[in-house]
Amino acid sequence: MQVESETPPGGNRDGAIDIGSARQHGVGSSPDPRGGQKLSQRNVRSRLWKLGYRPVAVYSVSDAENGKRPKGDAWQERARRDPPAAVAAPLEADATNTGILCDGLRAVDIDIDEENVAGEVARLAEELLGAAPFRLRSNSPRRLYPYRAAVGEPTKSVIAGACGKVEVLGRGLQFVAFGHHETRVDLEWSTPLTAVPRAALPAVTEDQIDAFLEACRPLLGIKPKAERPHQANSLASIRPRASEKERKRVRELLETTENTLDRDDWVRLAT
């Protein structure tokens, strides 16, 4: 699979994206990086596939029963085809929103309506995970940051508190990337995702994800996780280390003692 050769805004000739530079091209729901024109959802899906993403057909917001759900059964399997079904099949009138399969991605979804808290969580994401394009909408402080998993295809992680939750989406899930929100506003991007190859998204480890979620806990009114003492350290605090002289004496006794005990007896002696 090859990515189109033209250089997108904020990019260079080999296709790498400078996120900071690309942001100056403005916010748009699905702009064409070559000319600033809006793309049809059909063209959005085609471009996303060329950039390494796996598009998903998502029900339109006018379908109150299905909302933001992907259309059809086994949608994950259909999104894993080459090309994905959403790219190969015609656009359907009841599924005009476009999602992205999160296999191999870590999509940080900030579901918080308090502007100050949402802004602080977003700051932590950029500080601890790296600068990335983010999805937003005009009537909410909520954001979503897509990252690449450094290793494998991790599954979902989530923390939830009194003022909302932070989800890190992974394998088998999707996020709606283009189209309309149920509140009838466009989904927008700080940097057009149709100009950012998947390979250019910052890669994050699970240690980074854990550290980010732990830093978010106080903001959501959640107590920090209690640290479990390392077993070796706990035993060391209960049983002081034997001196070299004592260890030597034990070895001598073991060498001269006939082994008539079974394993359970030796365990009882040791404790």
Side-chain angles (χ1 to χ4, degrees):
M1 182 182 65
Q2 293 183 340
V3 175
E4 291 184 22
S5 59
E6 74 268 9
T7 303
N12 55 36
R13 293 185 181 276
D14 63 10
I17 297 293
D18 180 339
I19 299 297
S21 175
R23 278 181 178 152
Q24 67 182 328
H25 292 265
V27 172
S29 57
S30 49
D32 182 337
R34 292 169 295 185
Q37 303 297 317
K38 282 193 173 183
L39 296 171
S40 69
Q41 287 298 317
R42 180 96 171 121
N43 288 335
V44 163
R45 294 174 185 180
S46 177
R47 179 170 290 277
L48 288 172
W49 169 237
K50 291 176 182 178
L51 291 172
Y53 304 97
R54 292 190 172 274
V56 176
V58 177
Y59 281 107
S60 309
V61 295
S62 57
D63 188 330
E65 180 180 351
N66 291 295
K68 298 181 288 186
R69 288 180 50 239
K71 181 172 182 179
D73 297 328
W75 64 267
Q76 294 98 331
E77 181 275 326
R78 289 184 288 108
R80 290 168 184 147
R81 297 175 187 171
D82 294 333
V87 175
L91 188 71
E92 298 179 85
D94 63 344
T96 56
N97 281 354
T98 299
I100 291 177
L101 183 68
C102 290
D103 289 8
L105 297 179
R106 301 304 268 151
V108 175
D109 193 4
I110 303 173
D111 285 340
I112 299 171
D113 291 321
E114 292 185 24
E115 187 170 357
N116 291 341
V117 178
E120 187 61 19
V121 171
R123 184 192 66 78
L124 285 173
E126 297 192 7
E127 177 182 315
L128 299 177
L129 304 177
F134 58 88
R135 189 201 67 193
L136 69 158
R137 52 188 167 90
S138 61
N139 61 353
S140 172
R142 299 187 179 198
R143 294 182 181 183
L144 180 141
Y145 288 81
Y147 297 93
R148 284 185 299 121
V151 178
E153 297 181 338
T155 55
K156 176 180 173 179
S157 298
V158 60
I159 58 172
C163 61
K165 62 183 177 179
V166 178
E167 296 179 304
V168 183
L169 307 180
R171 179 175 173 80
L173 300 175
Q174 62 88 31
F175 63 87
V176 183
F178 293 94
H180 303 287
H181 187 260
E182 59 192 13
T183 56
R184 307 294 176 178
V185 299
D186 287 345
L187 298 175
E188 305 175 341
W189 285 89
S190 61
T191 298
L193 199 64
T194 48
V196 182
R198 183 184 184 279
L201 297 175
V204 295
T205 67
E206 290 310 286
D207 285 344
Q208 285 177 281
I209 293 294
D210 289 345
F212 163 68
L213 292 177
E214 187 64 21
C216 292
R217 291 173 75 89
L219 297 172
L220 274 63
I222 310 171
K223 292 182 179 180
K225 287 182 179 179
E227 293 187 7
R228 297 179 60 185
H230 192 279
Q231 183 178 12
N233 292 338
S234 299
L235 293 175
S237 65
I238 299 170
R239 300 176 185 170
R241 289 178 59 87
S243 67
E244 181 58 34
K245 181 178 179 180
E246 290 170 324
R247 288 197 296 271
K248 182 179 178 182
R249 179 56 178 160
V250 170
R251 286 194 295 268
E252 291 173 350
L253 290 171
L254 290 173
E255 289 171 359
T256 59
T257 301
E258 183 179 359
N259 184 13
T260 60
L261 302 176
D262 62 21
R263 178 183 178 278
D264 291 338
D265 289 331
W266 280 110
V267 170
R268 282 194 292 270
L269 284 173
T271 56

